[in-house]
Amino acid sequence: MEISETQVMQTLTDADEYDSGDFDSEEYDYEDDLDLNETSVLERLTDPDLDEKIVKKERKPQKNSAFREVLSFLRDLAVSMAVILLICNFVLRPVRVYGDSMYPTLLNGAIGFSNVIGFKTGELKRFDIAIIYVEEKNEYLVKRVIGLPGETLSYRYGQLFINGEMVDEPFLDQAYVEQCGQYFMSDVSEITLGEDEYYCLGDNRPASSDSRYYGPFKKEQIRSKGVLVLWPFSDFGLHTW
């Protein structure tokens, strides 16, 4: 077969198109790149289906790429959720304060974290802030531990007594207490706590539903202790961590 100079040039030009970006370089298999020597030129001219064979070979479709992306997304989502659950159950618990029961210590809408690992590995002390889960209402309360297991507790004329001994509450804002006067804290009759019970009150006694309403809280109801306030910035800091 007679091969003209024009045919040779056309073949070389077509071959150059593969190098000029006319096809997707990501799908191109560079290991199979053709060496455009005289033999490959003759093959192109003598085999009319060669170009189609080359294109099919070079442009291998990526099968199930969308399916693989979905699987990758689900895997990353599952890992992220597992990490979040581990952190929330064993390290830090996100906290948002609703209401004014802990005013002025914690403001309504305050956001932060509570110490889970410190509660799991240590003990609750008197006047620690506790995060308490109330199952019947499916809600969390933020209160302060006042009475510990086994103690006998009472309030008389606004004063706390533990096992008959007067105990001061230095965390209370005295200006706010004086502002409320005799209405700040009502009397509480003597109550003896069980071996796994805690008596917890809000710092804002006139506006708090706490152990005066729910009774003593079981230890299993307490999820964490202390609060690291992140918002508002003006109240940033630790509270009984």
Side-chain angles (χ1 to χ4, degrees), residues 95-111 139-143 176 202-209 227 229 231-232 235:
V95 172
R96 180 168 185 173
V97 178
Y98 292 96
D100 296 317
S101 70
M102 287 297 290
Y103 175 86
T105 307
L106 299 173
L107 302 181
N108 180 31
I111 297 173
E139 66 180 11
Y140 289 89
L141 307 177
V142 183
K143 306 297 176 185
Y176 184 67
D203 288 0
N204 187 10
R205 304 288 165 76
S208 176
S209 296
V227 176
V229 175
W231 174 264
D235 291 338

Side-chain angles (χ1 to χ4, degrees), residues 17-18 20-30 58-60 62:
E17 291 180 357
Y18 293 108
S20 64
D22 291 339
F23 65 97
D24 189 348
S25 60
E26 293 182 357
E27 297 179 347
Y28 182 72
D29 189 349
Y30 288 96
E58 292 173 347
R59 299 189 179 184
K60 296 178 181 179
Q62 294 185 358

